[in-house]
């Protein structure tokens, strides 16, 4: 792994840094988990796309710059270092788009990707169901064949971005599955014997007839998620990704992207650890060595995550895929994120308890995040060990597929 950057990569870094310095809003945008903030972040996506900074790694015909993974990671570092707004298009750009590049048709890419890049269409993730969270293969929402398409019925929950988004993507059962069949009968060759068979990957609009969106508030009351109720919702054949019944294989590609590099690039944590360290140097009690060591651990963790990511990037560049190793990545960043925010809140003391009405970003020395920014980040970080595949499941994957340990009793 070569950590020296080529001249063209450094030139790209400088161009990104200059653009961000000129365009990142001086006043932080409202939380994207509110209607006002969601609209403001959508406008930010449009500004990024206007100068082709929204999706730098995409081909130019879809609004990108066609850069490789090294330059994408460089851009991510600069983006977070500049304190740029969170990406409201994250689900679409980081999860659905890679799936369309791998499994979608040319028509789907031409139709879906440009409006995704500009923020005109924001995508929600519709995976989990009330009794099918980490055990995604047990989902019950159905897709029935009809003339020209499919009829969707069911209930999705914890759908991120769905409270204000335009469209969603997810899995639906298109062939019947009988729980217990594989243990009580001779295993069959169809979906009845294998719960992950007979699933179809579909896209659908959230304003379609038969779709009800019910926001779900976080601990702070903001609707970061929503429940989706689908009652005989028509979806045309053109919105099926890949072959009907092959959704599980496609979804595993998507979840690999989510657990791996795309959802949490190291730039996010490097910037947060840097701001935490600067806040420590400016305000902390030097005699508090225990808190000092936690700040040091945060900086070391961010650096370790960066190095692991660059190692993965080198393998990607060589044409490899990281497969089950993405579970290592997911467990690390989700638990690191919580520890980082807990350290920041302990450093801030009473100020860190402010959810609203605290000092604005610009009122703090050296651009350190305001107390309410750390608190909002902490509230969201608590979901990290659950979404993108619960960490308990990820540890099973690590034990069985990477370490070769025998399967435990479920």
């Amino acid at each position: 792994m070569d950590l020296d950057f080529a001249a063209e990569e450094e030139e790209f870094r400088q161009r990104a840094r200059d653009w961000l310095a000129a365009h990142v809003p001086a006043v932080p945008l409202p939380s994207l988990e509110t209607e006002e903030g969601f609209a403001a972040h959508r406008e930010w996506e449009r500004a990024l796309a206007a100068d082709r900074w929204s999706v730098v790694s995409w081909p130019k015909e879809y609004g990108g710059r066609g850069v490789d993974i090294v330059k994408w990671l460089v851009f991510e570092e600069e983006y977070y270092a500049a304190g740029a707004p969170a990406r409201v298009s994250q689900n679409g750009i980081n999860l659905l788009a890679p799936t369309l590049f791998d499994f979608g048709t040319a028509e789907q890419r031409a139709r879906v990707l440009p409006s995704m890049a500009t923020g005109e269409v924001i995508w929600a993730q519709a995976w989990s169901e009330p009794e099918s969270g980490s055990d995604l293969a047990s989902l019950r929402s159905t897709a029935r064949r009809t003339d020209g398409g499919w009829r969707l019925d069911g209930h999705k929950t914890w759908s991120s971005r769905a409270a204000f988004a335009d469209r969603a993507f997810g899995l639906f059962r298109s062939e019947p599955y009988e729980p217990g069949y594989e243990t009580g009968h001779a295993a069959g060759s169809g979906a009845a014997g294998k719960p992950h068979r007979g699933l179809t990957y579909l896209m659908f609009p959230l304003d379609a007839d038969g779709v009800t969106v019910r926001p779900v508030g976080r601990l702070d009351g903001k609707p970061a998620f929503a429940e989706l109720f689908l009652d005989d919702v028509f979806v045309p054949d053109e919105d099926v990704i890949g072959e009907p019944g092959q959704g599980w294989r496609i979804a595993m590609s998507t979840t690999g992207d989510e657990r791996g590099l795309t959802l949490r690039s190291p730039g996010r944590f490097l910037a947060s650890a840097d701001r935490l360290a600067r806040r420590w140097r400016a305000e902390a009690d030097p005699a508090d060595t225990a808190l000092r060591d936690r700040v040091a651990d945060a900086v070391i963790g961010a650096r370790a995550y960066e190095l692991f990511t660059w190692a993965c990037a080198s393998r990607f560049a060589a044409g490899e895929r990281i497969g089950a190793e993405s579970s290592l990545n997911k467990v690390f960043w989700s638990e690191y994120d919580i520890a980082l925010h807990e350290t920041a809140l302990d450093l801030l003391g009473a100020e860190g308890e402010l959810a609203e009405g605290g000092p604005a970003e610009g009122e703090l020395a050296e651009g350190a995040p305001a107390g309410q920014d750390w608190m909002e980040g902490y509230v969201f970080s608590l979901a990290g060990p659950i979404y993108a595949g619960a960490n308990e499941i990820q540890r099973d994957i690590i034990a069985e597929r990477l370490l070769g340990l025998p399967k435990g009793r479920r």
Side-chain angles (χ1 to χ4, degrees), residues 93 202 209 223 286 402:
I93 290 172
L202 290 142
D209 291 341
L402 296 180

Side-chain angles (χ1 to χ4, degrees), residues 50-93:
D51 290 331
R52 294 182 179 269
W53 292 109
S54 174
V55 285
V56 295
S57 62
W58 288 11
K60 294 180 180 179
E61 61 262 36
Y62 303 123
R65 291 173 174 260
V67 305
D68 61 14
I69 192 171
V70 171
K71 289 181 180 176
W72 174 73
L73 286 167
V74 165
F75 174 74
E76 291 285 296
E77 286 186 7
E78 295 302 320
Y79 189 88
Y80 285 104
R87 300 297 302 275
V88 73
S89 286
Q90 177 175 283
N91 284 331
I93 290 172

Side-chain angles (χ1 to χ4, degrees), residues 96 100 107-117 123 203:
L96 179 58
L100 290 174
E107 185 277 332
Q108 287 174 331
R109 290 189 286 271
R111 172 164 53 91
V112 172
L113 295 180
S115 60
M116 183 191 295
W123 290 82
M203 303 178 285

Side-chain angles (χ1 to χ4, degrees), residues 264-410:
R264 291 291 178 265
S265 63
R268 174 192 181 110
F269 297 126
L270 288 168
S272 294
D274 178 64
R275 292 178 179 125
L276 175 62
R278 284 190 279 120
R279 187 77 180 239
W280 161 263
R281 287 192 289 267
E283 300 182 11
D285 177 5
D288 189 348
T289 56
L291 188 56
R292 179 201 63 193
D293 289 348
R294 290 170 62 193
V295 173
D297 284 343
V299 174
I300 293 168
R303 179 61 171 162
Y305 183 72
E306 178 194 27
L307 293 174
F308 180 84
T309 302
W310 281 115
C312 292
S314 297
R315 292 174 58 183
F316 277 129
E320 298 182 39
R321 302 205 56 137
I322 60 174
E325 290 177 52
S326 63
S327 294
L328 288 170
N329 210 22
K330 197 272 168 170
V331 170
F332 181 87
W333 65 248
S334 60
E335 297 187 349
Y336 170 82
D337 200 14
I338 294 174
L340 170 72
H341 281 85
E342 287 178 341
T343 300
L345 293 179
D346 285 347
L347 173 59
L348 290 167
E351 181 190 325
E353 298 178 11
L354 297 173
E356 301 287 349
E361 180 89 13
E363 296 172 358
L364 295 171
E366 298 184 2
Q372 69 268 27
D373 294 331
W374 282 111
M375 175 57 74
E376 180 162 316
Y378 172 66
V379 169
F380 190 81
S381 74
L382 295 175
I386 302 172
Y387 68 79
N391 282 6
E392 290 80 3
I393 301 299
Q394 302 314 309
R395 286 187 166 88
D396 278 349
I397 293 173
I398 293 167
E400 294 166 12
R401 301 185 192 176
L402 296 180
L403 300 179
L405 298 176
K407 289 187 176 183
R409 292 184 177 181
R410 299 293 195 271

